[in-house]
Amino acid sequence: MIIFSKRRNREKTIVERIDNVLNFLQFKNGIILDDGTGSGKIAKGLQKRGYIVGIDQTLIFSTKKNRCSSINFIKAIGEFLPFKSESFDFIISQMVLEHVLDVNKYLQEVFRVLKQNKMVYLALPNRIFPIEPHTEIPLITYFPHGLFQQIINSKIGKTYPLNYLTYKILKMIVAIGFKKVWDIVPYFLKNRARFYPAVSAGVCRILLRAYRLLRFFIPTWIWILQK
């Protein structure tokens, strides 16, 4: 579940959220991979946490202008990471999985480059949520994928591959070898002031009580994976 105040910058909110999750996990500092860095704002926002590597298949910003001693931006794709096994202390995958062509290969690579007992922050959109987040068109995620993709391409004005996932991805994650997977959204709801300041305490309490059912329909899943 991701709820943003219209008055706040979206990337800033995400950075603050991940930073708070790192505090919750008692992560001091280390080598972090921002897998699908996009604009690079998450990587730059977390540079106090250690050495950050941001990868993306199309770097949409100048790496020269964004050069920093604690950040390294690399053009690469998640299915073929150019790193040695067990290179990273923490991996961030923020709304990337729906854009990946081979989800299983992507997750295998994440597992490979993650150090033993270390963790992944995985945020991904829920196909069952009735509003498609990129276009805000209702119900189209329920359509056959071919028709869904045509609508997305037409609305965005270019070919924009999307592949939304359901809870069956959990079986895939476990099969790859992650020994622990947990949904961190209940922790967000319990700590409303820190994570969902735009939502009243009463609403968060109701969501928390009904979460066992609502988890199937929330807009975004946020999971921690441990190797």
Side-chain angles (χ1 to χ4, degrees):
M1 177 180 291
I2 293 184
I3 303 172
F4 296 110
S5 169
K6 293 181 179 179
R7 295 171 295 179
R8 306 189 71 196
N9 178 273
R10 183 177 185 272
E11 284 83 4
K12 181 180 178 181
T13 303
I14 293 171
V15 168
E16 290 176 355
R17 177 168 294 155
I18 296 174
D19 195 45
N20 280 319
V21 168
L22 288 169
N23 288 334
F24 169 69
L25 297 173
Q26 299 182 334
F27 182 91
K28 301 296 183 182
N29 55 62
I31 305 174
I32 299 175
L33 174 64
D34 184 12
D35 196 344
T37 193
S39 66
K41 289 183 179 179
I42 293 176
K44 287 184 283 185
L46 293 173
Q47 58 186 292
K48 67 178 183 180
R49 290 290 186 171
Y51 184 74
I52 315 293
V53 178
I55 69 110
D56 206 284
Q57 62 180 349
T58 54
L59 293 178
I60 62 175
F61 54 92
S62 169
T63 54
K64 292 182 180 179
K65 291 182 179 179
N66 287 277
R67 189 169 289 163
C68 176
S69 60
S70 62
I71 305 177
N72 185 19
F73 291 112
I74 299 172
K75 186 175 181 180
I77 62 173
E79 292 95 325
F80 299 95
L81 294 175
F83 310 113
K84 294 180 180 179
S85 298
E86 300 194 2
S87 295
F88 295 96
D89 299 295
F90 193 77
I91 296 177
I92 299 163
S93 180
Q94 168 66 34
M95 303 297 276
V96 174
L97 217 56
E98 73 272 24
H99 301 290
V100 171
L101 295 178
D102 189 335
V103 172
N104 192 62
K105 178 62 175 173
Y106 175 92
L107 291 170
Q108 287 176 345
E109 281 291 272
V110 166
F111 184 86
R112 180 183 67 80
V113 302
L114 184 68
K115 293 179 182 178
Q116 196 66 35
N117 296 317
K118 300 302 183 178
M119 300 181 190
V120 179
Y121 175 97
L122 178 65
L124 64 156
N126 176 10
R127 181 184 177 187
I128 301 174
F129 186 68
I131 306 296
E132 197 286 315
H134 296 83
T135 62
E136 298 185 347
I137 300 175
L139 303 179
I140 61 172
T141 55
Y142 300 156
F143 293 179
H145 186 264
L147 177 58
F148 162 77
Q149 191 64 67
Q150 288 181 28
I151 295 171
I152 290 292
N153 295 345
S154 176
K155 179 68 175 180
I156 294 179
K158 63 178 182 179
T159 301
Y160 194 75
L162 284 173
N163 182 27
Y164 286 108
L165 303 160
T166 59
Y167 249 88
K168 68 181 181 181
I169 191 177
L170 282 173
K171 294 182 179 180
M172 185 185 300
I173 290 169
V174 172
I176 286 170
F178 287 99
K179 64 184 180 183
K180 187 175 181 181
V181 181
W182 72 93
D183 186 341
I184 203 168
V185 172
Y187 171 73
F188 294 171
L189 293 171
K190 291 175 183 177
N191 295 271
R192 177 201 64 83
R194 183 179 297 176
F195 292 98
Y196 297 141
V199 184
S200 71
V203 169
C204 282
R205 282 195 295 269
I206 292 170
L207 291 173
L208 188 58
R209 288 171 185 166
Y211 189 72
R212 290 179 67 88
L213 175 62
L214 292 177
R215 61 182 175 154
F216 295 103
F217 303 101
I218 60 175
T220 305
W221 292 317
I222 302 177
W223 300 331
I224 299 297
L225 321 179
Q226 185 176 21
K227 182 173 179 179

